[in-house]
């Protein structure tokens, strides 16, 4: 097993009145948490699994390993995308120490209210953007997603009107979660619609000639589509499983949405 060399962690400095040791120390600790959290996201897929896309026959074990590795890559890309959406759209006012720490679950009381230097904030964001590009490249190289396989020419987008229609279904989830519902319109290979559960998500996507579907999810109140998930459309049913949150009691949803109405040509 080979290992990819990581870029150095983002470096953070502390600012403020040196006499306020407690606040400065707290800020320093949380900058370290920020660096460690970012590094954890960036290095989560550092193990370079060489079993994917092998020219020769693969064992069941190697195929499972390749699948797990791809799942890790795509999960990390979703986490990075959510962090970037928070930063880019100022959901946590990340121009302050309190704001950027808030992106990682910290408390504003732990920063002493001081400002985070612009260069430190920008370095953290730049590191995340760089890692997003690295993850995009590796996911494409390993053909982990339907979109990546389409880029490689393995499958092709389709505009077949035979798939047109509205696909609607209630999903299954954990007992503590709200009942999810999904409604997607397929029109000439393009998908659009809504997922509704604890939160509401806009959905868009693309259909491919083998029945694979790539979907993107945008949470209500956020600025961009952050979660990419593959599904399958077969025999008038669109099947997909999604988990749009990383919290300890996060809900996961499984859908089998049947076509309720045919679309026009």
């Amino acid at each position: 097993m080979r290992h990819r060399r990581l870029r150095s962690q983002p470096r953070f400095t502390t600012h403020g009145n040196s006499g306020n040791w407690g606040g400065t120390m707290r800020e320093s600790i949380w900058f370290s948490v920020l660096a460690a959290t970012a590094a954890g996201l960036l290095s989560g897929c550092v193990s370079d699994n060489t079993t994917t896309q092998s020219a020769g026959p693969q064992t069941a074990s190697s195929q499972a390993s390749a699948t797990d590795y791809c799942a890790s890559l795509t999960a990390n890309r979703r986490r990075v995308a959510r962090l970037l959406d928070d930063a880019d759209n100022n959901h946590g006012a990340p121009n302050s120490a309190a704001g950027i720490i808030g992106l990682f679950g910290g408390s504003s009381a732990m920063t002493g209210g001081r400002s985070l230097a612009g260069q430190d904030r920008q370095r953290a964001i730049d590191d995340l953007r760089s890692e997003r590009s690295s993850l995009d490249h590796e996911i494409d190289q390993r053909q982990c997603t339907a979109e990546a396989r389409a880029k490689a020419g393995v499958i092709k987008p389709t505009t077949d009107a035979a798939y047109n229609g509205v696909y609607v279904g209630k999903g299954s989830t954990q007992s503590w979660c709200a009942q999810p519902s999904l409604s997607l319109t397929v029109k000439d290979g393009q998908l659009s619609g809504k997922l509704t559960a604890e939160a509401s998500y806009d959905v868009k996507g693309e259909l491919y000639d083998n029945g694979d579907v790539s979907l993107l999810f945008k949470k209500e109140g956020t600025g961009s589509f952050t979660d990419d998930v593959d599904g399958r459309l077969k025999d008038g049913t669109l099947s997909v499983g999604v988990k749009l949150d990383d919290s300890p009691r996060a809900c996961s949803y499984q859908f089998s949405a049947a076509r309720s109405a045919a679309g026009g040509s």
Side-chain angles (χ1 to χ4, degrees), residues 23-213:
T24 302
M25 177 59 75
R26 286 190 295 270
E27 191 169 343
S28 177
I29 289 170
W30 276 104
F31 287 160
S32 297
V33 170
L34 172 58
T37 305
L41 291 176
L42 311 191
S43 63
C45 301
V46 64
S47 173
D48 188 3
N49 184 327
T50 59
T51 60
T52 46
Q53 304 307 318
S54 166
Q58 293 182 329
T59 65
S61 176
S62 68
Q63 289 173 342
S65 180
T67 299
D68 289 346
Y69 185 61
C70 275
S72 180
L73 286 170
T74 54
N76 271 10
R77 182 168 69 175
R78 288 190 286 272
R79 293 185 188 106
V80 170
R82 292 171 197 155
L83 288 170
L84 283 171
D85 180 74
D86 279 340
D88 288 341
N89 293 285
N90 290 321
H91 297 154
N95 59 325
S96 67
I100 201 160
I101 286 168
L103 300 183
F104 293 86
S107 166
S108 60
M110 307 180 94
T111 68
R114 277 181 298 281
S115 294
L116 175 63
Q119 62 182 7
D120 290 339
R121 173 186 181 276
Q122 193 57 51
R123 186 180 295 118
I125 293 173
D126 288 347
D127 280 352
L128 287 171
R129 285 179 177 151
S130 177
E131 184 58 22
R132 171 63 188 266
S133 295
S134 296
L135 288 165
D136 286 344
H137 175 75
E138 188 141 1
I139 287 168
D140 287 348
Q141 185 179 54
R142 295 176 181 277
Q143 299 178 24
C144 291
T145 64
E147 181 185 33
R149 292 189 290 277
K151 289 180 181 179
V154 177
I155 57 178
K156 296 180 180 179
T158 181
T159 59
D160 190 346
Y163 293 101
N164 287 0
V166 180
Y167 295 77
V168 178
K170 298 288 186 181
S172 60
T173 187
Q174 290 90 341
S175 59
W176 60 85
C177 300
Q179 174 74 61
S181 63
L182 180 69
S183 177
L184 291 175
T185 298
V186 178
K187 176 67 174 176
D188 299 336
Q190 299 300 303
L191 292 87
S192 61
K194 185 85 68 176
L195 184 156
T196 304
E198 278 76 10
S200 180
Y201 294 82
D202 290 331
V203 187
K204 67 178 181 179
E206 189 163 24
L207 174 65
Y208 300 96
D209 57 1
N210 68 337
D212 284 352
V213 175

